[in-house]
Amino acid sequence: MLPQVIVIPRALAESLRKHFPPEWLAGLAGLAERTLDQWRLTVDGKPMHGMASLVLPVVRPDGTRAALKLQPVDWEHESEPVGLRTWDGDGIVRLLDHDRDTGAMLLERLDDSRPLSTMPDDFAATEILAGLLARLTRVPGPDGMRHLKDSAEQMVANTPGTASKLSDQDEQNLLKDWAARVSEVLDEPGDRLLHWDLHYDNVLAADREPWLAIDPKPLVGDPGFDIMPALDNRWDDIVATGDVPKAVLRRFDLLTEALGADRQRAAGWTVARALQNSLWEVDGGEQRLDPIQVAIAQAVTSPRR
């Protein structure tokens, strides 16, 4: 095969410089070129990317269209191939090949031009996402994968120190209240395989099925912890209803029903996601809580209207 020169998209390069060691970006193009040669792949489209991953549309020697995904192998991404193998294409993109040394993944090709976020009907989109989430969380988590219990215990332990960084006393108290709520559900952290980031842009149209999930960050735990991304994405659609709590609860009820989840426990684990997101933001320099996280936590824990 002739050498294929890979140019890293500027937006991806900027993101990688911000979040990862410089040597990863410096070696990315070379890694892509070596992997293409190793698997005898031919690039047949423009590079795509997320915040950390380079995705190249490719064709295999037998003519099969696929996608080559390259990303740093860190705590957030290391479980992805394990999860994909465990799900084996049931509701999610199929893993075709994986290089353990580099983390390179060869994936089934989906239609990146048609994410679920482009579906005009917000509720119909949530129904599709809920169905996929229910399928994914039916699968038991494999041994050795990181567990929600460990993450949740660390959140609760870190809350007092992080809360002190907030400029508003009421918000400090709110963050501590969330931690107390999370402590109440820690006795049953769950044993299902979770996607962790199933929002509308992480569902793409496909040939094998109408819609398939992509880009999991798998961990083991309670399915209720996987609800938040479906609540805080497409937020403009929530606001446009004119009744934010009612619209949040409409999505929340649809998702908990699809999961067959206990509503109280699901609310507790949704608060855990609000806590996790907020701890990251405050530790990153924010001095106020994100109003969206506050609105969702309040909606799912308030008495029904």
Side-chain angles (χ1 to χ4, degrees):
M1 293 178 59
L2 293 174
Q4 301 176 80
V5 178
I6 302 302
V7 177
I8 306 303
R10 180 177 298 178
L12 174 59
E14 291 175 355
S15 178
L16 290 173
R17 287 191 193 98
K18 186 181 299 184
H19 299 290
F20 295 94
E23 55 267 23
W24 172 255
L25 174 58
L28 181 54
L31 172 61
E33 291 158 13
R34 290 192 301 274
T35 307
L36 291 169
D37 184 63
Q38 173 188 340
W39 284 337
R40 299 171 59 209
L41 304 171
T42 303
V43 177
D44 73 335
K46 294 181 179 180
M48 299 166 285
H49 65 89
M51 289 187 62
S53 59
L54 174 67
V55 181
L56 301 174
V58 295
V59 178
R60 304 177 85 180
D62 64 0
T64 304
R65 297 164 71 246
L68 175 63
K69 184 175 184 179
L70 303 169
Q71 62 191 4
V73 182
D74 59 7
W75 70 269
E76 187 175 346
H77 301 105
E78 64 184 356
S79 61
E80 183 170 350
V82 179
L84 290 175
R85 280 209 180 93
T86 304
W87 281 307
D88 193 25
D90 186 2
I92 197 163
V93 65
R94 181 166 281 137
L95 179 67
L96 305 177
D97 208 341
H98 173 233
D99 187 297
R100 289 180 180 272
D101 292 335
T102 65
M105 290 181 289
L106 190 64
L107 304 170
E108 171 184 16
R109 179 90 70 91
L110 306 184
D111 186 353
D112 67 288
S113 69
R114 291 180 57 213
L116 187 57
S117 58
T118 61
M119 180 175 282
D121 188 329
D122 169 60
F123 193 70
T126 305
E127 287 183 310
I128 291 168
L129 191 149
L132 291 174
L133 186 59
R135 289 168 64 184
L136 296 175
T137 56
R138 281 200 301 260
V139 177
D143 293 338
M145 184 170 285
R146 62 195 176 103
H147 203 291
L148 173 58
K149 181 178 177 61
D150 298 325
S151 299
E153 288 177 341
Q154 193 64 53
M155 287 181 226
V156 173
N158 291 346
T159 294
T162 299
S164 66
K165 302 175 185 178
L166 290 166
S167 59
D168 183 87
Q169 183 63 53
D170 289 339
E171 291 193 349
Q172 292 184 26
N173 294 336
L174 182 59
L175 207 63
K176 293 174 184 176
D177 289 345
W178 289 354
R181 181 76 181 234
V182 174
S183 296
E184 295 173 2
V185 293
L186 276 177
D187 59 329
E188 295 181 39
D191 65 354
R192 300 292 95 181
L193 183 56
L194 308 183
H195 183 288
W196 191 78
D197 196 26
L198 192 62
H199 56 77
Y200 305 90
D201 280 322
N202 273 347
V203 177
L204 298 181
D207 294 330
R208 178 165 56 85
E209 293 193 33
W211 301 96
L212 291 170
I214 63 166
D215 203 24
K217 310 291 187 294
L219 75 161
V220 178
D222 189 295
F225 193 67
D226 254 3
I227 290 175
M228 176 63 91
L231 302 180
D232 64 7
N233 281 262
R234 292 188 67 149
W235 189 251
D236 288 346
D237 291 323
I238 293 278
V239 174
T241 66
D243 190 333
V244 166
K246 182 177 179 180
V248 168
L249 287 176
R250 190 179 187 214
R251 286 190 191 176
F252 181 74
D253 289 345
L254 190 159
L255 289 153
T256 52
E257 183 176 347
L259 292 171
D262 175 84
R263 197 177 181 283
Q264 285 291 103
R265 290 194 64 78
W269 284 116
T270 299
V271 169
R273 282 302 283 271
L275 178 63
Q276 183 180 64
N277 292 339
S278 298
L279 292 175
W280 285 341
E281 290 292 319
V282 176
D283 284 335
E286 294 293 334
Q287 294 186 341
R288 299 299 301 266
L289 294 179
D290 180 355
I292 295 175
Q293 300 298 305
V294 173
I296 291 172
Q298 290 177 338
V300 302
T301 57
S302 296
R304 299 305 292 255
R305 294 188 290 173

